[in-house]
């Protein structure tokens, strides 16, 4: 288990015993997010406005680069760890080559800080959650927003695709979790928005 906090520390824990295994300190004033590589040998750390890649075996910072013009607020590995996604308080989303730190894409359409990001299987479709109370669906190769979903009653705190990529789940403190059917927005003309019903009105999820 990885944790990071406003004390600027990142801690790698043994989930079975609760024992601290390794600690990273002195690299940032604040750590807003951490993400563990699927191989569990590397962690991405949202350190102030930068991204650090931390070797969890040796404790060494193996790469660092400036990522956003304001605090980096979320991070997630995708595509088997080949891609790193970040979002920031600068209202942008960045897609990175996780091995080199090269920027692959920048997406800008939110009116508030980005709080969550996820990439659907296949790497084309990306979903974002924002403090502007919206969830957006993006065509990454086209660098375009194809749909904006408006239903949340407050800042959207996170977003994730279902394994099929046909649905996304998003979360806020007012309505809880909403499920969005995004499959129809991935073909044909772009749509303006989709309005979902609160979770207790939705049929049981099949994924």
């Amino acid at each position: 288990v990885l944790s990071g906090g406003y004390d600027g520390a990142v801690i790698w824990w043994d989930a079975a015993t609760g024992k601290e295994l390794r600690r990273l300190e002195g690299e940032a004033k604040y750590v807003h997010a951490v993400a563990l590589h699927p191989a569990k040998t590397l962690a991405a750390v949202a350190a102030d406005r930068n991204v650090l890649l931390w070797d969890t075996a040796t404790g060494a910072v193996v790469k660092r680069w400036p990522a956003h013009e304001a605090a980096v607020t979320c991070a997630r590995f995708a595509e088997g760890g080949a891609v790193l996604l970040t979002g920031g308080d600068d209202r942008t989303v960045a897609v990175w080559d996780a091995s080199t730190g090269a920027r692959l894409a920048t997406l800008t359409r939110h009116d508030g800080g980005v709080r969550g990001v996820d990439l659907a299987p296949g790497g084309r479709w990306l979903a974002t959650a924002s403090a502007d109370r919206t969830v957006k669906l993006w065509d990454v190769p086209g660098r375009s927003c194809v749909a904006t979903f408006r239903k949340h009653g407050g800042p959207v705190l996170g977003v994730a695709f279902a394994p099929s990529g046909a649905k996304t789940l998003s979360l806020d403190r007012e309505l809880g979790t909403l499920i969005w059917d995004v499959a129809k927005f991935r073909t044909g003309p772009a749509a303006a928005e989709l309005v979902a019903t609160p979770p207790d009105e939705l049929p049981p999820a099949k994924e």
Side-chain angles (χ1 to χ4, degrees), residues 63-154:
K63 192 173 291 292
R64 173 203 303 265
W65 66 86
H68 290 267
E69 295 180 3
V72 184
T73 53
C74 55
R76 177 172 290 188
F77 284 102
E79 295 294 278
V83 171
L84 177 67
L85 314 170
T86 61
D89 271 341
D90 59 358
R91 306 178 182 183
T92 71
V93 176
V95 183
W96 308 92
D97 182 314
S99 62
T100 66
R103 186 185 292 260
L104 304 177
T106 302
L107 306 174
T108 57
R109 281 287 297 276
H110 276 296
D111 294 324
V114 179
R115 297 292 179 260
V117 60
D118 196 17
L119 193 67
R124 178 175 179 180
W125 304 104
L126 185 144
T128 55
S130 173
D132 65 10
R133 303 187 179 190
T134 69
V135 173
K136 290 184 182 291
L137 180 69
W138 307 80
D139 179 344
V140 176
R143 308 293 198 275
S144 61
C145 177
V146 300
T148 299
F149 309 143
R150 310 175 192 273
K151 183 65 177 181
H152 283 283

Side-chain angles (χ1 to χ4, degrees), residues 6-20:
Y6 280 5
D7 60 355
V10 181
I11 303 176
W12 174 244
W13 305 89
D14 185 313
T17 65
K19 179 182 177 182
E20 180 180 320

